Amino acid sequence: MEKGYKKVVYFFGIIAAITFIGFYKKYFSLAPDFPGLKNIHHFHALALTTWLTILIVQPILIANNKMTAHRVIGKFSYILVPILFVSMILAYHNQYLRFVSEGKSETETLAFIFSPATDAIPFVIFYLLAILNKQETAKHMRYMICTGIVIGGPGLGRI
C-alpha cells in the first residue's frame, strides 16, 4: 500500500461519522419505531451502511495482508453496488413523490430530479473505474476514495 494511503481508513471513518451525524435527526434518532419512514428508507440505509463498512474494512484487510478476504469482499461489491444504485434511485423517487404530494413548485420538484446526476451516477462511474483499474492499486484506491466522497455528500449537506 502506498505510504500516503495507509491512513485512508480514518478518512472513510470520518465520512461514516459525517453520514451518521447528518442522518441522525431524520433517521437514526427515530429508532426503533421509525415513524413516518418507509421500507425504502431502511433499504437505502442498509445498503449505504454496508458500503461505508466495506470502505472501512477493505484498507484494514490490505494493511494486514488479508488479500483473499479483500478480494472476496470486492466480489461481493459486484452485487452490492447495483443494489446500492437502485436504492439511491428509489430514495430519489420517493422524495420526488413526497414533493409532488406536498404541492411543491414544479421548479423545485424538477430540480430534485437532478439529484441522481450528482450522487448515483458519479458513484457508479467511480466504482466502475475502480474495478477497471483493480490491477493498478494507486488508481483503484483513488477511485474508491471518490466513491466515499460521493456517499459522504448527503450527510454533510444535512449537517
Side-chain angles (χ1 to χ4, degrees):
M1 182 182 289
E2 288 182 36
K3 182 181 178 184
Y5 290 96
K6 287 189 178 190
K7 308 246 190 252
V8 73
V9 68
Y10 298 116
F11 176 72
F12 290 139
I14 290 168
I15 289 174
I18 287 170
T19 302
F20 178 78
I21 293 166
F23 284 93
Y24 182 79
K25 183 178 180 183
K26 296 273 185 171
Y27 185 79
F28 295 107
S29 70
L30 302 176
D33 298 328
F34 297 101
L37 295 179
K38 299 179 180 179
N39 287 336
I40 180 54
H41 296 110
H42 305 306
F43 174 64
H44 184 61
L46 179 63
L48 286 169
T49 300
T50 303
W51 184 254
L52 286 169
T53 302
I54 286 174
L55 287 179
I56 292 168
V57 168
Q58 289 291 67
I60 293 170
L61 292 172
I62 293 168
N64 290 302
N65 290 322
K66 306 283 186 186
M67 295 309 294
T68 302
H70 178 83
R71 288 184 186 106
V72 168
I73 292 172
K75 287 184 182 14
F76 169 70
S77 77
Y78 299 165
I79 297 166
L80 178 62
V81 167
I83 290 170
L84 190 63
F85 181 76
V86 168
S87 85
M88 290 172 160
I89 299 304
L90 290 174
Y92 295 133
H93 181 256
N94 180 71
Q95 184 71 18
Y96 172 80
L97 292 176
R98 196 184 92 202
F99 279 5
V100 169
S101 71
E102 292 174 354
K104 300 269 186 194
S105 71
E106 183 178 351
T107 304
E108 188 175 0
T109 303
L110 291 175
F112 186 79
I113 294 173
F114 184 69
S115 292
T118 62
D119 290 340
I121 294 169
F123 172 80
V124 170
I125 290 170
F126 289 133
Y127 173 78
L128 290 173
L129 288 169
I131 297 308
L132 291 172
N133 287 285
K134 64 184 177 184
Q135 300 302 323
E136 296 182 58
T137 303
K139 288 182 181 179
H140 175 74
M141 195 177 342
R142 286 175 175 94
Y143 288 126
M144 284 299 178
I145 289 168
C146 289
T147 69
I149 292 169
V150 170
I151 294 299
L156 185 61
R158 281 166 177 78
I159 291 175

